[in-house]
Structure formats: C-alpha cells, structure tokens
Amino acid sequence: MDDAEFFRPFTAFPKTIPLLIRYLVSMSFTRCLVLAVTSVATLSVADHPVPGHSLNGESFNEGPRQRAVLMGGTGKVKFPINTKNPEAQKFFEQGVGQLHGFWYFESERSFRTVASIDPECAMAYWGMAMSNVNNEKRAKEFVKKAVELKGKAGKKDQLWITTVENFYRDDKRDKKQRALDFISDLETIAHEDPADLEAKAFLVWKTWHARDLAPITSRQAVDALMDQILAKEPNHPVHHYRIHLWDDSKPIRALTSAALCGQAAPGIAHMWHMPGHTYSKLRRFDDAAWQQEAATRVDHRQMIESLVLPDQIHNYAHNEEWLTRTYNELGRAREAIDLAKSLIEIPRHPSYNTLDKSGTSASYGRTRLLDTLLKWELWDEVLTLANGPYLPTVIQASHEASRLRTLGIAYYHKKQLKELAVTLAALEALEKKEKKKPKTPEPKPSSDSAKKDAKEEIRKAEPVKTAAKATDAKPKSEPKNDPIREAIKELQVLKAILAGEKTAAIKGLAETKDIPKERLASYHLKLDDKKKAEEFTKNFNQDLAGQALKTEILLACGKDAEAKKAFEATQKAAFAMDRDLPLSKRMDALASKFNLKGDWRAAAPVRTDSGKRPPLQDLGPTHWHPPTGRPWSVVNAEGKTISNKDFQGKNVLLCLYLGHQCGHCMEQLNAIADVADQLKSAGIEVAAISLEKPEELSKANEKSKKKGGFPFPLLSDSSLSVFKTYRAIDDFEKTPLHALALIDSSNHIRWIDIGYDPFTQTSFLLEECKRLLKLPATAASVAAAPPEK
C-alpha cells in the first residue's frame, strides 16, 4: 500500500487535521513534512484519529460495524417512515422489533443498515439513539444527526425525532421532568394517530421505563393501553412490556403474555427469557426453565454464526446463571453443573468478562458451580473439580475463599480431618495476605448497556420470600460479613466436630453469621442438639433441597408428623429431580417410612396455559461452543501462498493488522513479540496478516523492537479476503478493522477480538489462551447422559 492509498480514507472525508498526527509521529521528519503538506490541504477539523476508527465520529466507533441481515422473527411491527427504499423500510421495522426486545446492539445494527441504504433517512438516527437509551453520550450524537436531517423527514417522522430531541436537550430540567416530557411527546403522537400501534407501544415502554423517576399511578391503565395494541395485533412484542409491568407486584396478570412473548419475536433471545420471570414468581420452575433454555439457545445460535462472544450480549450471563438456579429448584443438578461449567469455559475479555467483574459469565459460572455442588452434596465432584481447570486456585480473594470453603466442607463430609486442616490453613493464609493489601473499590458490573435493568432483573428473578424468611432480613445498618473470616469460622467448627471437640464446635457455631440454616441444622444434629436443629428447620428454604433436608432432620428429631408434611412438599417439587443425587437416594430410603413404594416423586404438572412452543432443539444449541475456524489464504513476502491448512493440527494466534504505518498496529505486534516465546511454550504459533502488499511487509520489521524483526511470519491479504472472512471490516464505511483470534488445533475459534483499536493486553491474552486450551472446545465437553427420571 503506497502513502496515497493509506491516506485516502482520511482525505475523502473533510474532517481531519489532528487525525494524522498519531501516524506521522512515527515517521521521519522529512517524510512527515511531505505527507502533511500534500494531505492537509484537503482536510479540516478532525474527529477521527486512527485507522479502524469511524470516519463519522467517535460515537460510531462503538456498536456494530457490520451490516445487518433480515433475520426474521423480530416481531410483527408496522412503522412506516419517510423512505422510498423498501429494503430500508424492512430493516427499520426489524430494528423497532429489536428495540421492543431490548436487543439494543442488534437494533443499532439494523438502523445503521437503514442509514447505509438511505443516507438521508433521519429516522435511522432516531433508531440509533433509541438503541442507546443506556448510553446518553452516544445517544446525543445520534440525535444531533437525526436533527440535521429532520427537515427532509415527513411530518410524522419529525414528531418521532422531536421525542428524542426534547429528551436529550441540554437544559435545566431534572431527570423526572425529562422523562415526563418524553411521555407527553409520545402521547402527542398517539393522539395525532390513534391507529398508530407503535406510538402506543413506545408510550407503554417509556411509562414503565421511567417508573423510578415518575412512579406509575395506575398499572391497570397502562395494561389497558396494551390491550388496545393486542386487540389489533395479538402477536405484537408489547407482551414483553406487560411482563415487566406486573413483574414486581402481580405477576399472575402477565400469565397470558408469558405464553405469547417468545412466540411473538422468536428470533430475540430476551423475548423468550422474560416469561421466565413470571413463571419463576409463580413457582412454576419447569416453565421458567423452558423459557430460559429457549433464550440461551437463540442467543447461542446467533453468537456462533456472527463471531460474537457471549458476554458481549446484554443479559446473556444473567439468563445463564438464573437458568442454573432454576435447574437447581427442579433438582436437575446435572444440567446445572454442565451449564455452570459452560459459563466457566466461555472466553474471557478484560472489557466485559473477567472473574473480578460481577455479573459476568466467569464470575457466575464459578459461583453457580460451587453452589450446585454444595446444594446436592456432591463431595467427590468437589474434590475433583477444585483441583482442575474448572475451579483452580485464583487470585480473587472472594472467589478463592468460596472455593476453599466448599473444599473444606467436602473434606468434613468425607471425614478427612487432615485435608480439612490444610484447607483451613490455606484460608487463614489468604486472610493474612488480604489484610496486608490496600482496600480497593467494589467490582463494577461489566455490561456496557442496561446495567440498571440487568441488576433489576437479577433482583426480580429471586423467588418471593416467605414470611418466615422475611424475618431473617438483616438491618441495613449491619456491616457486611467478611467472607474469608466467615469461611474460616465454619471450617473451624467442622474441624472441631471431626476432632470430637464438642464444646469448641458449639461455641464456634454461635459466633458464625452466614452459614445457611440447612447446614446449621445438620451441624447441630451432629452435635446431638436436636432442639436447635429442629428450630432451624422453621427457616429452611422452601425449595426442593430445603424440604428434603427438612424431612430428614425432623425425622431424626422425632417429629414424624411434621416430617411427613415436609416429605409431601418434597414429593410435589421432585418430579424432575435427578435420581442419582445423594439426597434423592436418601429420600428413596425414607419413602418406605411413609408407606410409599417405587418412585415416590409426584407426576410432572400438566400445563394448558404455557402457549404453543417450538421444539427446543430447533432454536439453537443448549450450550455455547466456539465457532469453527474459517478457511483463509494469503501470501508471504516472497509471494508463496500460506493458508489455514499450513497450521492444521496446531494452535495459532491470528493477528489481522492494518499495516506498518498504523502506530497502534506496531504497538500490538511488538506486544505480541514480547510474549512470543511464552506463546510458543504454550503450543501457540503466531500468524500476522496485513492488508499491505507482499513487497511492503518488510517495512513492519523495521519497527520491531527485536533485532532481526518480528519473531513470527508477516503475511499479505491485500484483497482483504481474510479480513472479510473474520468480519474485521466496517461494512458501512468499507474500511478494515483490527482483529485477533485464537484458533485451536481442532480448528475452533476459542477467542476473538474485533474492534477499532487493536488488542494489546497480551499478558491477559497469554494467560487466557493457556486457560482455554486446558478446557474442552465444546461446552461442558460432552453433555452427560440424562439421569434416570
């Protein structure tokens, strides 16, 4: 690539003077001066600094850079706009359907596609602003563009643009007034055209969305507005909003919409997810599990096809971890374990999925795996997994404390006093180490959008507490428990029990604060304190495991009548319970005490109000798995063809860089070179592919910090075929993007980063590559055969 070609994207857009500075600083003074003189004449004020960044400004750097496809299944939406292009109209209505499903990343992609088809369509930018309701900075930039084009829009479109123009206007209104004005503007559109279902649908959405600022005075009035929409279009995605409307007060009022929500927009995972809220609140966990699994399957299909990593999708990790909890409610422990392991296997990224960020696959996977193993007393599996790639020792103190605590409890139940003592010592050493560290702030959620909504959904997903549980609530003023200290206290008690030190154990139990009532009762029973054990059963969880344990303990305390009631509750909840669980086998033995023979579990409930459901397998795979590597072919500096076949059976780190004149690219190549030996030791080769011509490849070696050039091959893809194959192209501006991908020896894409800046955190990448290559390429390896039902 010659200099003129390299600078053509910048000179074609009259926006840049400071843009070139970043590139020119790495060049010789003479060459820099010549290029500056020949290029700057065509440039003006800049807002686009480097290759890979959008020519349209910073707000376009983020979000989707690849064109949308008409995917179908996004909801029956009719929203005519002022465009003469039928394809643009279709993409616009797809985007509106995706907005209703809170699929903001994809809705922005649809609206960007509208703008690429019809550049003068103001409503395309209205859609982009609406896709960023959780990112005010970006939304404002899109509103500016919509307002610039507003004069070319029709009267109705201008009313829609006014809604966001007024909302994001810089003035002295507080947030509440801005929200109320937005609602008022939507009411104006609905009043102007009473037949406009979308005006009513967005009015419903904003009324609900602003509820924390402007509380809803009549939910029934909002519900009646939805009735008007559904009377005209029964499959409108407004079913989603009805579930939200009643979720925290009267979820049974959303039962009809729960049966229709996913079916109304089957291509949007969140639309399958939301009915799980309703069913969970109504303790219909079998229905909740179906909905959540449908959601995850739809997500997986789309991710795998589009090379999007799971945690880049809003709500994905929450749906997965919640499905794990729902499986546990049903006693489907094996599926819960596989799903938790799948979350652990998911590629990590410092921007949105790390163990020290709450609400991520990494954090949820580890937490839910430990929770499941503890709940179902799978002690042998604890001992196996805690010393393998799924639950390794980690530097994050809270996660490591949980691992050691679970491990210690397992040793207690296996009566391995020596190993328990070693684990306790490890916890004490961890506590000592943490006390020496300076205090750091709490980890922040990693989601780049809808953080507030995600937190709320997690809160709402929790089953309604019973009156007994509510009395356990601690005052807000009480300080948080120290997880490491509490873990130490519990293991000290267990060590005392195994050592026969009853007095010390009783005293220790009195000082603990966070041991679940189920475990406390079992410890007191072990210490022959039946009165205390029985007392704790009054506050057991009302779930399947809690009721089964309550049955055992009450029987051991001689409370046969109360035990029978608990067993009846267990029967009712256990219709899907795995038969191979220790607790299930103990219930088999206890069933004879209640004159039951054979399978003691109640029959699965027969539902007639769950809606017409498609086969789950038609929606996508149960677990995420890495996409298959895509074939590619390039040439080296000598013109010899190099392809993916040359790396067959090898792990390869594929680096797509823009050229030797891109300063960031050279930073990246040098960063990779710094860890090249460690990558090689881990069994990973590097292939760096540039869009430069073969004869220009050697120029990059001149910028290598290592003598003799970069310690990996530099290859040419001047036709951009590999860039296109790996989606490292901005389809809207026809410019290349940076990409880095780990492709394993079985030809699976284990990790990928595509963006406007190259990924340079190579220390993180090295450790993540090593971690991933220790794990199977498919989720939970091979799914275990379903347990006997």
Side-chain angles (χ1 to χ4, degrees):
M1 177 186 292
D2 59 25
D3 293 330
E5 184 178 354
F6 182 77
F7 282 93
R8 190 173 296 122
F10 305 99
T11 59
F13 285 78
K15 292 183 177 182
T16 41
I17 286 178
L19 309 180
L20 301 177
I21 295 175
R22 196 166 196 167
Y23 301 106
L24 299 178
V25 292
S26 62
M27 303 177 186
S28 68
F29 175 79
T30 303
R31 186 159 174 255
C32 176
L33 182 61
V34 170
L35 287 173
V37 170
T38 57
S39 300
V40 167
T42 64
L43 305 179
S44 61
V45 178
D47 56 9
H48 170 35
V50 289
H53 288 228
S54 172
L55 299 165
N56 290 297
E58 183 182 347
S59 61
F60 284 82
N61 284 334
E62 300 175 42
R65 304 290 289 269
Q66 293 82 28
R67 197 176 191 271
V69 297
L70 291 171
M71 59 176 59
T74 55
K76 290 189 176 182
V77 168
K78 291 183 181 179
F79 197 135
I81 57 171
N82 188 35
T83 181
K84 295 180 180 179
N85 191 303
E87 188 181 26
Q89 179 65 49
K90 290 179 181 178
F91 276 110
F92 184 86
E93 290 181 341
Q94 173 172 284
V96 171
Q98 291 163 332
L99 282 179
H100 287 318
F102 294 174
W103 203 6
Y104 294 132
F105 191 83
E106 289 302 319
S107 64
E108 183 179 334
R109 189 193 306 278
S110 292
F111 293 126
R112 283 196 182 192
T113 302
V114 174
S116 70
I117 296 170
D118 184 352
E120 295 189 344
C121 179
M123 284 299 285
Y125 296 93
W126 169 89
M128 293 180 213
M130 291 293 289
S131 299
N132 284 275
V133 293
N134 300 292
N135 190 328
E136 185 172 331
K137 181 180 178 182
R138 295 189 71 224
K140 284 184 174 180
E141 291 302 311
F142 293 128
V143 169
K144 286 180 183 178
K145 186 65 177 178
V147 172
E148 285 176 17
L149 297 170
K150 187 176 178 180
K152 299 179 181 180
K155 180 181 176 181
K156 184 73 170 289
D157 291 359
Q158 289 178 357
L159 288 175
W160 281 103
I161 293 168
T162 296
T163 64
V164 291
E165 181 183 9
N166 286 345
F167 182 72
Y168 287 109
R169 187 175 68 244
D170 291 325
D171 53 29
K172 296 182 179 180
R173 292 173 300 164
D174 59 20
K175 290 183 178 180
K176 179 180 179 180
Q177 190 58 51
R178 288 173 61 196
L180 289 172
D181 290 345
F182 199 155
I183 291 170
S184 179
D185 286 339
L186 289 168
E187 286 178 328
T188 297
I189 300 174
H191 180 75
E192 290 281 332
D193 184 1
D196 189 339
L197 301 187
E198 292 312 308
K200 294 177 180 178
F202 280 105
L203 177 56
V204 168
W205 163 75
K206 190 57 190 177
T207 303
W208 168 80
H209 187 258
R211 67 203 178 284
D212 290 338
L213 299 170
I216 301 172
T217 56
S218 172
R219 294 182 192 233
Q220 191 60 48
V222 180
D223 194 85
L225 191 57
M226 284 186 275
D227 279 340
Q228 294 179 27
I229 298 168
L230 295 170
K232 296 290 186 181
E233 179 47 75
N235 287 321
H236 194 281
V238 76
H239 287 295
H240 178 196
Y241 302 146
R242 175 168 277 156
I243 295 171
H244 275 293
L245 179 68
W246 295 112
D247 191 36
D248 60 354
S249 59
K250 296 181 176 65
I252 197 168
R253 294 190 180 180
L255 197 55
T256 300
S257 283
L260 297 170
C261 186
Q263 291 84 337
I268 301 177
H270 189 66
M271 296 291 281
W272 292 110
H273 164 89
M274 277 309 302
H277 283 250
T278 301
Y279 294 130
S280 181
K281 292 293 178 63
L282 298 176
R283 300 194 69 80
R284 290 172 51 165
F285 296 113
D286 51 330
D287 281 327
W290 193 96
Q291 296 291 157
Q292 293 156 358
E293 186 175 334
T296 196
R297 285 175 178 267
V298 171
D299 258 342
H300 290 154
R301 182 181 63 189
Q302 192 268 343
M303 292 171 192
I304 293 166
E305 289 174 355
S306 60
L307 299 187
V308 172
L309 295 185
D311 280 68
Q312 291 177 273
I313 301 294
H314 159 58
N315 211 50
Y316 172 79
H318 162 52
N319 182 75
E320 297 292 279
E321 68 85 19
W322 187 21
L323 177 53
T324 305
R325 288 188 283 126
T326 305
Y327 281 151
N328 279 323
E329 290 280 359
L330 294 163
R332 293 163 62 177
R334 298 302 171 188
E335 289 165 284
I337 289 170
D338 281 348
L339 186 54
K341 289 170 71 175
S342 173
L343 287 172
I344 292 170
E345 290 168 3
I346 283 170
R348 298 177 186 176
H349 193 287
S351 296
Y352 47 76
N353 181 26
T354 58
L355 197 56
D356 56 358
K357 285 189 171 82
S358 62
T360 63
S361 292
S363 180
Y364 275 141
R366 190 176 173 102
T367 300
R368 296 293 172 249
L369 181 54
L370 289 170
D371 288 347
T372 302
L373 296 171
L374 267 174
K375 178 181 282 286
W376 300 111
E377 305 173 16
L378 299 171
W379 311 126
D380 288 335
E381 292 182 49
V382 169
L383 301 184
T384 299
L385 292 172
N387 294 290
Y390 286 100
L391 293 171
T393 300
V394 292
I395 60 172
Q396 290 80 7
S398 61
H399 282 291
E400 181 60 10
S402 295
R403 184 188 79 91
L404 290 170
R405 187 174 192 168
T406 305
L407 190 58
I409 294 169
Y411 284 133
Y412 162 76
H413 283 280
K414 299 290 288 184
K415 294 182 172 57
Q416 295 178 249
L417 178 58
K418 180 180 178 181
E419 289 79 2
L420 171 57
V422 170
T423 306
L424 175 58
L427 264 174
E428 291 169 338
L430 178 64
E431 180 183 48
K432 186 176 181 180
K433 180 180 177 182
E434 286 302 302
K435 284 182 177 179
K436 292 180 179 180
K437 288 183 178 180
K439 290 186 178 181
T440 55
E442 290 290 318
K444 296 180 180 180
S446 66
S447 173
D448 62 351
S449 67
K451 295 178 183 177
K452 178 181 177 182
D453 289 346
K455 287 182 180 178
E456 178 181 326
E457 288 206 1
I458 293 170
R459 172 179 61 82
K460 289 182 177 180
E462 298 290 348
V464 178
K465 291 183 178 180
T466 63
K469 289 293 287 184
T471 61
D472 270 346
K474 295 178 180 178
K476 291 183 179 180
S477 60
E478 184 172 327
K480 291 177 64 176
N481 292 330
D482 178 348
I484 302 177
R485 173 73 344 222
E486 291 303 310
I488 289 171
K489 288 180 182 178
E490 182 170 8
L491 295 200
Q492 286 174 336
V493 167
L494 300 186
K495 181 183 175 185
I497 293 174
L498 284 186
E501 299 168 357
K502 184 175 180 180
T503 302
I506 293 173
K507 181 181 178 183
L509 282 173
E511 294 174 354
T512 60
K513 295 179 181 179
D514 73 345
I515 300 177
K517 299 296 188 295
E518 292 80 2
R519 294 213 298 269
L520 283 173
S522 70
Y523 298 157
H524 280 284
L525 193 61
K526 188 73 174 177
L527 294 167
D528 202 31
D529 187 350
K530 293 181 180 180
K531 183 179 179 180
K532 197 73 172 177
E534 180 193 349
E535 182 181 328
F536 281 122
T537 64
K538 296 174 184 177
N539 290 321
F540 273 19
N541 284 324
Q542 301 301 305
D543 62 1
L544 171 57
Q547 291 304 302
L549 289 168
K550 186 175 184 178
T551 303
E552 282 190 306
I553 291 172
L554 287 173
L555 275 175
C557 293
K559 301 293 182 178
D560 291 7
E562 293 89 339
K564 185 176 180 181
K565 290 181 181 179
F567 187 78
E568 288 170 353
T570 305
Q571 276 185 288
K572 186 177 179 180
F575 58 87
M577 188 179 191
D578 291 346
R579 300 289 280 144
D580 65 339
L581 299 174
L583 193 53
S584 181
K585 291 178 179 179
R586 298 204 301 271
M587 290 299 103
D588 289 344
L590 290 180
S592 61
K593 287 185 174 290
F594 303 109
N595 300 315
L596 294 172
K597 296 180 180 180
D599 191 348
W600 51 270
R601 300 171 303 163
V606 177
R607 311 289 193 192
T608 59
D609 60 353
S610 301
K612 187 177 180 181
R613 292 169 169 173
L616 279 171
Q617 60 268 24
D618 292 352
L619 299 178
T622 306
H623 296 134
W624 182 84
H625 62 78
T628 300
R630 302 179 177 186
W632 52 270
S633 180
V634 294
V635 296
N636 62 14
E638 290 73 38
K640 179 183 176 182
T641 298
I642 306 293
S643 74
N644 60 292
K645 293 180 181 178
D646 292 289
F647 294 90
Q648 191 169 358
K650 300 177 181 178
N651 303 310
V652 58
L653 185 64
L654 206 61
C655 176
L656 306 186
Y657 72 102
L658 305 185
H660 71 281
Q661 291 172 320
C662 171
H664 261 183
C665 294
M666 294 301 98
E667 288 176 20
Q668 182 188 45
L669 291 189
N670 276 298
I672 295 173
D674 286 341
V675 296
D677 289 342
Q678 293 163 280
L679 287 167
K680 187 175 182 180
S681 297
I684 303 168
E685 297 194 24
V686 178
I689 300 176
S690 167
L691 50 77
E692 295 181 302
K693 295 175 181 178
E695 58 268 24
E696 296 178 302
L697 292 174
S698 61
K699 294 179 181 179
N701 279 322
E702 296 172 8
K703 298 183 178 181
S704 171
K705 295 179 181 179
K706 292 187 176 292
K707 187 176 181 180
F710 293 109
F712 40 76
L714 304 181
L715 307 169
S716 169
D717 178 35
S718 56
S719 68
L720 298 182
S721 63
V722 184
F723 281 78
K724 293 174 183 176
T725 295
Y726 278 86
R727 306 198 77 193
I729 288 287
D730 184 321
D731 290 334
F732 307 114
E733 300 178 18
K734 309 302 180 186
T735 55
L737 301 171
H738 308 273
L740 195 61
L742 172 67
I743 303 168
D744 70 13
S745 58
S746 299
N747 197 35
H748 291 99
I749 304 173
R750 304 299 295 275
W751 189 93
I752 190 166
D753 178 89
I754 303 169
Y756 54 93
D757 278 333
F759 188 87
T760 57
Q761 298 182 51
T762 48
S763 295
F764 175 95
L765 180 61
L766 174 64
E767 294 307 311
E768 178 61 3
C769 286
K770 292 193 291 186
R771 186 188 76 88
L772 288 170
L773 293 176
K774 292 177 183 177
L775 294 166
T778 54
S781 188
V782 179
E788 179 189 350
K789 300 288 186 182

